[in-house]
Amino acid sequence: MINLIAVVIAIAGVLAALGHLGYLAMLNNAAGKRAGGAPVAQYVKTRWPIAAGTTAASLFAWLLTSGGTPLDIIAILLAAGSGITATKALQSTQQKYRSGS
């Protein structure tokens, strides 16, 4: 049962991290197509390490779910931490570049 919980949390962490990675990719692409997009591209460049780190950590956590119960517990902690970090980073970036309502 703990393995199922660990897998679900790991998948959620991966999805959150990939969401942040995808958002940065779209933002960078849009900045490259616009005149005056250099400041946005520079900001995105500083955010890549966070996105890559959370993605790697969540994928590693998912890999750990193939072990026993102690590794499942470590995977839960790692996946939850990376997922929360990715989500907060994504929200921060969205708030910075949110266009009008």
Side-chain angles (χ1 to χ4, degrees):
M1 182 64 172
I2 190 144
N3 182 262
L4 178 63
I5 294 168
V7 170
V8 169
I9 293 172
I11 291 171
V14 169
L15 291 176
L18 289 178
H20 183 221
L21 205 60
Y23 188 80
L24 287 177
M26 288 190 302
L27 195 60
N28 193 43
N29 187 27
K33 291 180 180 180
R34 284 195 135 184
V40 176
Q42 183 63 30
Y43 175 78
V44 169
K45 191 175 186 181
T46 65
R47 304 300 281 181
W48 284 123
I50 296 168
T54 56
T55 302
S58 61
L59 287 171
F60 180 65
W62 196 358
L63 179 66
L64 288 178
T65 62
S66 63
T69 301
L71 289 179
D72 286 340
I73 293 169
I74 293 170
I76 289 170
L77 296 173
L78 186 59
S82 64
I84 289 168
T85 302
T87 301
K88 288 193 183 287
L90 174 60
Q91 289 172 346
S92 168
T93 303
Q94 285 177 333
Q95 283 179 345
K96 185 170 177 72
Y97 292 106
R98 186 157 300 206
S99 57
S101 307

